[in-house]
Structures are given as C-alpha cells and as structure tokens.
Amino acid sequence: MDQQNGRGVVMTTGSVSLANAMWRGFRGKCPNCGEGHMFGRFLKVADACDHCGEELFHQRADDFPAYLVMVVVGHLVVPAILAIETAYAPPVWLQLAVWLPVTLFASLALLQPTKGAIVGLQWQLGMHGFEAGKLRREAGRLAPVLAKSNTRAA
C-alpha cells in the first residue's frame, strides 16, 4: 500500500520481507518501495531513495560485499581452472589469459548487486541507523490495527 505524505513523497506502508528487501537491493532498487534507485554511482549508495524518500545513508556494508564476492567467484573459478588443467593441461599463459579476465568481470558484475543485497538486509533488520525507520514502519503498520481495536471498545 502506498500513501502520499504532505511533501508529495510516496510512502510504502506495507511490510517488506527480508527476502524481498534483499532481492530489491540485489536489483539496485530501494528496499522500501522497490522503485527508486539505491546507487548514485557504481558502489556509492544514494543518501535517500529518489522515489519514496527512504533514507539509505545509514548503511554500513563496508567490506562484507567484497568478501562475499571473493568467496562466490573463487568457488566458481578455481574448480573450473583445476578441471581444465587436469583435462587438457594448457600452457600457463593461456590459463592466465582466460581466467584473469573471467575473474575480474565476474567480480565486478557481482559487486554492486551483492552490496545492494547487504544494504537491503541491514534496512529490513533495522541495523545501524535503520532502526528508527524500522520502528516508524512498524508503528505505521500497527496504527490501523490499534485504531480498529479502540473503536470496538467505545
């Protein structure tokens, strides 16, 4: 459910699951609305969503996305290198000419989506500075329920 606040900014009032927030981040979209862009530059997270205004500058992904990318790419490239080496034994220069660019491009291709997923994780769990936003979202979700229960008691 989307509502428009007094400043003309669209606010999402429904809850977002952890998987959905991470998937939105993986796609480079705002974990709150799924519409706005998360990144201003390649790895620079925007201060706020350009669609819903959700603050994103609280993120503290640091080096964790890079570590995850190294683990994933390493677990894909190293077995492939070993399989080619044992099956065909190509010269070292050929191995380097093939696997260094593959490793570089795979790492660069996964780095931004991985960072986006980590920011989505932090946003949904309310980590670091995101806890205030999470409390506001939860209060907004509970407000209609509390209003209904108050009208029944009267």
Side-chain angles (χ1 to χ4, degrees):
M1 250 192 299
D2 291 340
Q3 296 177 346
Q4 196 155 353
N5 68 8
R7 297 181 312 242
V9 175
V10 176
M11 300 181 334
T12 303
T13 57
S15 65
V16 178
S17 69
L18 177 62
N20 199 13
M22 289 181 71
W23 177 245
R24 288 174 178 178
F26 187 84
R27 291 184 5 244
K29 301 295 183 183
C30 170
N32 185 42
C33 67
E35 298 292 325
H37 297 86
M38 179 182 287
F39 294 97
R41 292 188 304 241
F42 181 61
L43 289 177
K44 172 76 171 121
V45 176
D47 288 339
C49 173
D50 55 8
H51 182 72
C52 70
E54 181 74 22
E55 294 176 340
L56 300 172
F57 66 88
H58 302 294
Q59 64 85 23
R60 296 289 178 263
D62 299 328
D63 292 334
F64 188 49
Y67 294 137
L68 290 178
V69 168
M70 285 189 292
V71 167
V72 169
V73 172
H75 279 84
L76 296 175
V77 170
V78 170
I81 291 171
L82 293 174
I84 296 297
E85 179 62 36
T86 55
Y88 304 108
V92 173
W93 68 266
L94 182 59
Q95 289 273 46
L96 291 173
V98 171
W99 296 112
L100 285 178
V102 166
T103 303
L104 174 69
F105 292 127
S107 298
L108 289 176
L110 283 174
L111 196 53
Q112 186 184 46
T114 304
K115 183 169 184 173
I118 297 302
V119 172
L121 170 89
Q122 292 175 354
W123 175 85
Q124 204 282 335
L125 295 178
M127 295 171 71
H128 308 299
F130 290 119
E131 62 266 359
K134 182 172 181 160
L135 292 173
R136 278 193 309 272
R137 289 190 307 272
E138 289 174 352
R141 246 190 357 254
L142 291 176
V145 174
L146 293 174
K148 279 184 179 178
S149 66
N150 285 342
T151 57
R152 289 182 192 161

